[in-house]
Amino acid sequence: MTTFSERHGYSAPQPDITVREEAPDALRSAIATSARHAGLGFNEVRQIVCQALAVAPDTRGNWSEPNVMAEVEQLLEDCHWFEVYEVIEAIAESLFNRPPPTIYRQKPPLEVFTNDINRIFLKNGIGWQLFLISVEMRGSEVFESAVREGRDALWKAGKRTSGNELHEALRDLSRRPEPELTGAIQHGIAALECLAKDLTGGDKETLGKLVQHNPSLFPSPLGEAVAKVYGFASNNGRHLKEGGAPSFEEAELVVGLSGVLCRYLERKIPKP
């Protein structure tokens, strides 16, 4: 059954993202409950959590539901922040393709768990999201629309290489415990450069040269801005200087801009 807010279209404003490299107590304490809500038995939850954390379950007379759940909660409270997200992925994987246990639960178990976890992420300003069985970096609504929808639009248009580069940029931003920031910048710009080459036929030119030699590619004077973004990406993603590593915010900005610009160019692709 859908919730009141789902049925009537109500939603609260999303809090700003303030949490990335940590796992707040609100998340740790909700994982076991969310897994149980999705239909996992309490011993199943303990087995999955222990396997994900590479620890042995305390089975010495510890078989009652309250004791088992208390053990799981303690394990989640004590583990490293990034291991919390690995536990979430392990639970999601265990629910993959599992059918609803009864005719009364219409949603698949993985969808139930995903909805619960993503709601916790949103309410607590956590910059991650569960997508299928992977925890991926979550950006602002504008970022999500630009990059993920841009990737999907490129795939749908048959531009697999450009779409895959955007996908890899997202994966680099999502790496734990440390995101691969230079890789994210490189992949983001590569997606844009690949699509620009495809549209112009300039196979041997860099994005900067493509923009310079094809002024109609972007409306003036935005082409100059794109060329400068390429220059920034070259200095901070390809040709690094000591002490010049990009910040997460800078990498997110470049990937977001690449997604927006790819969506713009994708609309220029001749439709059959």
Side-chain angles (χ1 to χ4, degrees):
M1 182 176 178
T2 58
T3 64
F4 173 84
S5 57
E6 288 174 333
R7 292 196 304 275
H8 298 283
Y10 293 119
S11 63
Q14 291 186 12
D16 291 337
I17 294 174
T18 57
V19 177
R20 289 208 187 271
E21 296 183 11
E22 57 182 301
D25 292 341
L27 173 62
R28 293 174 187 257
S29 62
I31 292 173
T33 303
S34 298
R36 295 284 285 125
H37 183 216
L40 289 176
F42 58 92
N43 282 317
E44 287 182 290
V45 176
R46 174 166 66 177
Q47 181 181 2
I48 295 167
V49 171
C50 287
Q51 286 179 341
L53 298 179
V55 298
D58 180 11
T59 57
R60 296 168 297 180
N62 192 17
W63 292 105
S64 68
E65 180 172 358
N67 287 342
V68 170
M69 297 305 285
E71 178 187 346
V72 169
E73 290 169 0
Q74 189 65 52
L75 288 170
L76 289 168
E77 182 180 333
D78 294 341
C79 67
H80 295 296
W81 73 264
F82 51 88
E83 291 179 313
V84 173
Y85 298 95
E86 290 167 0
V87 168
I88 292 172
E89 290 182 333
I91 293 172
E93 185 175 5
S94 74
L95 294 170
F96 191 69
N97 286 335
R98 181 178 292 205
T102 70
I103 60 173
Y104 300 106
R105 177 174 287 144
Q106 299 299 316
K107 293 181 180 179
L110 179 56
E111 184 179 344
V112 173
F113 182 69
T114 298
N115 289 345
D116 285 353
I117 291 298
N118 283 342
R119 187 163 58 245
I120 295 165
F121 286 158
L122 285 172
K123 290 189 70 172
N124 292 276
I126 301 172
W128 301 95
Q129 62 185 326
L130 180 58
F131 179 73
L132 296 179
I133 60 173
S134 297
V135 175
E136 299 184 353
M137 171 262 184
R138 177 175 69 88
S140 65
E141 291 183 79
V142 173
F143 178 92
E144 293 295 309
S145 175
V147 181
R148 296 185 194 279
E149 292 183 19
R151 173 200 61 188
D152 295 345
L154 288 170
W155 281 343
K156 187 176 181 180
K159 304 303 178 183
R160 300 291 304 181
T161 303
S162 296
N164 288 343
E165 289 293 341
L166 277 183
H167 182 68
E168 289 302 316
L170 286 168
R171 289 185 61 183
D172 282 341
L173 288 175
S174 301
R175 295 190 189 278
R176 301 182 302 274
E178 295 291 338
E180 180 55 54
L181 301 179
T182 57
I185 290 175
Q186 290 174 27
H187 285 299
I189 289 299
L192 184 57
E193 188 172 69
C194 179
L195 191 55
K197 286 181 178 180
D198 188 59
L199 286 172
T200 62
D203 290 342
K204 297 182 179 181
E205 293 183 302
T206 65
L207 178 61
K209 292 296 183 182
L210 286 169
V211 173
Q212 181 181 344
H213 295 158
N214 298 273
S216 63
L217 200 58
F218 298 101
S220 180
L222 293 182
E224 298 174 16
V226 174
K228 290 180 179 179
V229 170
Y230 173 76
F232 174 86
S234 295
N235 292 333
N236 293 273
R238 300 181 181 182
H239 311 298
L240 280 180
K241 296 180 181 179
E242 184 62 37
S247 67
F248 182 91
E249 290 74 18
E250 290 169 342
E252 183 183 27
L253 175 63
V254 172
V255 174
L257 287 172
S258 297
V260 169
L261 295 170
C262 280
R263 290 196 70 188
Y264 173 78
L265 290 183
E266 183 270 331
R267 294 186 176 101
K268 288 191 168 189
I269 298 173
K271 301 299 186 287

